[in-house]
Amino acid sequence: MAAARVVLPQPVTFVTGNAKKLEEVRAILGQSVPFRSIKLDLPELQGEPEDISKEKARLAAKEVNGPVLVEDTCLCFNALEGLPGLNNLLMAYEDKSAYALCVFSLTIGPNEEPITFLGKTPRHEEEFAYINSRFDDILRSWKEVKGKIVSARGPNDFGWDPIFEPDGYDQTYAEMHKEEKNKISHRYKALALVKSHFADAGYTFQTSPSNRDLFQVAKSF
Ligand SMILES: O=c1nc[nH]c2c1ncn2[C@H]1C[C@H](O)[C@@H](COP(=O)(O)OP(=O)(O)OP(=O)(O)O)O1
Ligand SMILES: [Mg+2]
């Protein structure tokens, strides 16, 4: 029996203060998930990436007063047991391995509990079983993007892209063509889960996003 469709009052608003993120999200999602975007400087919270992402979603949903999508990304260093760290600190350690982690949170309204989508390996068996039951084979093969920290190479216009060299590549994220980064990145992996969720949930919208919305968003950055 098909589940009742959830009707959302308006398209999902992707909230971020980072224009580069928005560019990638737009390129990766294409037409698959109707969304618009606003630029809001959300507070930089502390804690586990998943909790930060959820809290961002709660704050954003209050501001927007409707369904929102947010993300929190970190570059985590194995030498620091997964802590997001400062590159200078890492230079003192032999182990330069790291992983890029991206957590999207979707909340369908200001008083709703956020759902998270992680571009990484689940930590616990239960977490794995839970996610796996929802996303089957997609997640089985999904991992965070592993790589290592190197001396900066490539354009310096997006965060730590110049110092992150994913395993199996001899280029840093910054040196890669945009399309290539978007095919392998932490953000791509997390967004694949977001897409799959939207495909399953079959949300419908009271108002659909117009070209005008999208155009205005582009101008606000
Ligand atoms: O693919 C990426 N490649 C390189 N650097 C990246 C990437 N994605 C995020 N970053 C940087 C931006 C920020 O310095 C930090 C994460 O912080 P994070 O809070 O998730 O992003 P943000 O504050 O720039 O935007 P937002 O308004 O969505 O919170 O890592
Ligand atoms: Mg932030």
Side-chain angles (χ1 to χ4, degrees):
M1 196 171 62
R5 296 215 155 176
V6 176
V7 180
L8 302 179
Q10 65 194 52
V12 174
T13 302
F14 177 57
V15 178
T16 182
N18 187 318
K20 286 282 168 186
K21 264 190 191 180
L22 174 61
E23 211 176 87
E24 291 189 3
V25 169
R26 218 180 260 300
I28 296 167
L29 283 183
Q31 304 291 314
S32 62
V33 174
F35 78 100
R36 59 190 180 191
S37 174
I38 57 166
K39 182 178 196 289
L40 271 184
D41 273 319
L42 296 168
E44 293 299 322
L45 306 154
Q46 303 289 316
E48 289 283 311
E50 207 176 333
D51 298 332
I52 297 176
S53 180
K54 278 189 177 170
E55 195 51 31
K56 269 184 173 175
R58 291 193 189 96
L59 293 169
K62 286 208 181 76
E63 293 275 345
V64 170
N65 196 25
V68 296
L69 183 67
V70 299
E71 71 147 81
D72 189 72
T73 295
C74 67
L75 183 61
C76 306
F77 300 148
N78 291 324
L80 308 179
E81 294 182 345
L83 279 181
L86 302 169
N87 315 328
N88 290 344
L89 184 58
L90 190 71
M91 288 310 152
Y93 292 84
E94 192 96 330
D95 180 3
K96 301 284 194 288
S97 63
Y99 54 97
L101 172 66
C102 187
V103 187
F104 278 86
S105 290
L106 170 74
T107 173
I108 59 174
N111 299 310
E112 307 288 339
E113 186 55 16
I115 311 170
T116 58
F117 306 90
L118 292 81
K120 68 149 207 165
T121 312
R123 269 168 306 187
H124 311 296
E125 277 302 312
E126 315 90 83
E127 196 186 346
F128 185 82
Y130 170 70
I131 299 174
N132 211 38
S133 68
R134 292 171 57 195
F135 301 114
D136 282 300
D137 22 318
I138 309 175
L139 245 228
R140 220 183 295 277
S141 59
W142 287 77
K143 300 227 175 357
E144 77 276 11
V145 175
K146 293 196 170 104
K148 62 173 187 269
I149 305 301
V150 297
S151 303
R153 301 197 313 265
N156 195 17
D157 61 354
F158 190 10
W160 38 262
D161 271 1
I163 57 157
F164 186 72
E165 187 183 286
D167 289 351
Y169 294 81
D170 54 14
Q171 291 180 310
T172 62
Y173 266 170
E175 289 176 304
M176 290 179 178
H177 285 297
K178 253 304 172 212
E179 304 87 77
E180 177 139 33
K181 179 189 172 192
N182 285 345
K183 268 189 226 152
I184 64 158
S185 76
H186 49 296
R187 185 160 289 110
Y188 168 76
K189 291 182 173 186
L191 281 173
L193 300 178
V194 173
K195 278 191 206 185
S196 138
H197 172 79
F198 271 80
D200 284 355
Y203 296 121
T204 53
F205 302 94
Q206 274 166 14
T207 58
S208 30
S210 65
N211 285 338
R212 203 166 133 259
D213 280 337
L214 299 173
F215 181 63
Q216 284 180 340
V217 168
K219 274 206 312 199
S220 73
F221 269 97

